[in-house]
Amino acid sequence: MTTQTQAPRSGAPTSWRTPLLIILAGCTIALLNFGVRSGFGLFLEPISAANGWGREVFAFGIAIQTVLWGFGQPFAGALADRYGSARVLVGGALFYAAGVALTAYATTPLMLNVTLGMLIGIGLAGSSFTVALSAIARMVPPEKRSWALGIGTAAGSMGQFLMVPLGQAFIAAFGTAFALILLSLFALAIAPLALVLAGKAPEGSGPQQSMGEALREAGVQKSYWLLISGFFVCGFHVSFIQTHLPAYIVDRGLDPATGAWALALVGLANVVGSYTAGVLGGKRSKKYLLSFIYGARAVVITVFVMLPMTEVSVLVFAFAMGLLWLSTVPLTSGLVAQIFGPRYMATLFGIVFFSHQVGGFLGVWLGGRLFDMTGSYNLVWWISMGLGVFAAIVHWPIDERPLARLSPAPAE
């Protein structure tokens, strides 16, 4: 790794901010950011019941949150690329914590849309693990980048494993309102950790491009659009399952705790899946690994829906889906860095992530809408299967080679 000697104002790490400390801080931010977000599905049934709402109301709030998170991600990435990660992460943490806490006092659909939807959506974009991942990516050599991104993504999944049961315990012990206030404190903890990630890519790293030139360059690459299309499917799957699986399980006669543990098991299994994907991404073709992951998702969902539901089948599904959950992230983000270089990775991956969140918007909203219309989630499950097959196909023709004029981005 090249020693950086720029003054602190340029964003270069100082002596106390070692690469190891930066990776640890980034992983903890990912854990908190994704961990708190992963438990929102636990609140769907109790908040809806307490206010006399159909499930579409809560689902639409999550849908607003999801699409704002995605819409704001390219802007958060651009600000991080230009001004450094810490300022963006701190601002995001403040919005995130405020949104979670104020959701406890939302008693109308409009209030829920503002708190659960808008405030948290903006906060998630600013405090996102994708901003943290871009900070990690610029600190490690190319041959270690896929591994490091896998570690960062696995940390986010560990957050899901730890925070979802904790959220359920808070609800059982204190009720939904105080549980949300307690969870907001975890979101707020991102702010001090962000100081470790202060800095941006050195001006001399990567191609001599402006951000506009980098965006225009990516916009004419077929492979970039294929990545965007495939990541849409990931968002659809993750948001639908994360939000609606607990209620789906209760509808089928199982205990609410089973839903909480299912989401937790998804997170635990994804620690293995994300780390493994990161390691394999440094040795094997990322696009073929992505095709396998999406195809496997379609198979796992099909088997789950067709078999009778028991606690065992739920936990087996959760573990299998967890292995495939966010294992797409180190591979997709790694492909962005591999093809275009790390200089504007936060911006370029932010755009890809926006597609993920548009998919998430549709997944979570359609789940609520179609349930209220039909009394069943079956149609959305079948849509999810078809999208898995689609994503497996579109990743196959991606050209993984670095763009010829980007010499600083060797293939991994």
Side-chain angles (χ1 to χ4, degrees):
M1 183 178 296
T2 302
T3 301
Q4 295 176 312
T5 58
Q6 293 170 287
R9 64 181 178 82
S10 68
T14 57
S15 58
W16 66 272
R17 285 193 290 119
T18 64
L20 176 60
L21 181 60
I22 286 173
I23 290 174
L24 289 174
C27 287
T28 306
I29 289 171
L31 186 153
L32 294 172
N33 173 273
F34 200 75
V36 174
R37 168 64 176 78
S38 297
F40 289 158
L42 301 174
F43 295 88
L44 184 155
E45 195 279 330
I47 288 180
S48 298
N51 291 283
W53 299 333
R55 291 184 185 176
E56 186 184 0
V57 174
F58 188 93
F60 189 68
I62 293 287
I64 291 173
Q65 174 194 118
T66 301
V67 78
L68 278 180
W69 179 6
F71 181 76
Q73 197 63 72
F75 297 99
L79 290 172
D81 284 335
R82 186 174 181 87
Y83 300 109
S85 303
R87 296 176 184 177
V88 177
L89 288 166
V90 169
L94 295 177
F95 273 96
Y96 193 2
V100 175
L102 292 174
T103 297
Y105 303 98
T107 56
T108 68
L110 177 59
M111 292 173 64
L112 192 74
N113 290 341
V114 171
T115 57
L116 182 68
M118 295 176 64
L119 288 177
I120 295 180
I122 294 169
L124 283 168
S127 64
S128 173
F129 71 101
T130 60
V131 176
L133 288 181
S134 67
I136 292 174
R138 68 172 178 261
M139 293 300 302
V140 298
E143 65 273 11
K144 296 291 186 182
R145 188 178 296 137
S146 184
W147 168 81
L149 293 173
I151 289 288
T153 307
S157 302
M158 181 58 72
Q160 180 169 340
F161 173 70
L162 296 174
M163 298 298 296
V164 173
L166 185 61
Q168 182 64 42
F170 285 162
I171 292 172
F174 307 112
T176 56
F178 196 63
L180 286 165
I181 292 172
L182 291 175
L183 289 174
S184 73
L185 300 178
F186 288 94
L188 188 61
I190 292 173
L193 290 166
L195 300 178
V196 181
L197 299 184
K200 58 182 180 178
E203 294 298 327
S205 65
Q208 297 303 309
Q209 291 176 300
S210 68
M211 187 177 295
E213 290 170 338
L215 290 172
R216 286 190 292 272
E217 180 179 66
V220 298
Q221 302 299 319
K222 176 183 176 182
S223 295
Y224 190 59
W225 289 103
L226 292 175
L227 276 175
I228 288 172
S229 300
F231 218 36
F232 170 94
V233 176
C234 182
F236 189 100
H237 287 163
V238 168
S239 291
F240 167 65
I241 293 172
Q242 194 172 68
T243 301
H244 292 282
L245 181 63
Y248 177 66
I249 290 170
V250 171
D251 291 341
R252 301 296 293 271
L254 299 182
D255 189 88
T258 303
W261 281 109
L263 289 183
L265 188 57
V266 168
L268 181 63
N270 193 44
V271 173
V272 178
S274 296
Y275 178 78
T276 302
V279 172
L280 291 177
K283 302 175 180 179
R284 300 286 188 268
S285 166
K286 294 180 180 65
K287 68 174 184 177
Y288 294 142
L289 290 170
L290 284 166
S291 290
F292 170 80
I293 288 169
Y294 286 111
R297 283 188 186 185
V299 172
V300 169
I301 292 172
T302 302
V303 173
F304 176 60
V305 172
M306 295 186 69
L307 288 178
M309 180 178 288
T310 65
E311 288 187 1
V312 173
S313 72
V314 168
L315 296 179
V316 170
F317 167 76
F319 183 80
M321 185 58 66
L323 293 176
L324 310 166
W325 193 246
L326 292 182
S327 53
T328 59
V329 173
L331 299 173
T332 303
S333 59
L335 272 177
V336 173
Q338 179 173 307
I339 295 170
F340 300 103
R343 176 67 183 89
Y344 293 109
M345 177 187 167
T347 305
L348 295 176
F349 182 57
I351 294 170
V352 178
F353 188 77
F354 175 55
S355 173
H356 182 282
Q357 298 307 93
V358 172
F361 174 92
L362 290 176
V364 70
W365 174 70
L366 277 178
R369 177 66 172 173
L370 293 178
F371 180 88
D372 285 349
M373 290 176 61
T374 67
S376 170
Y377 287 114
N378 287 344
L379 182 57
V380 190
W381 284 117
W382 287 105
I383 292 172
S384 297
M385 297 171 209
L387 287 174
V389 174
F390 165 79
I393 294 172
V394 300
H395 282 89
W396 205 263
I398 289 175
D399 186 350
E400 296 181 293
R401 295 172 298 177
L403 292 182
R405 66 191 221 74
L406 300 184
S407 57
E412 299 176 281

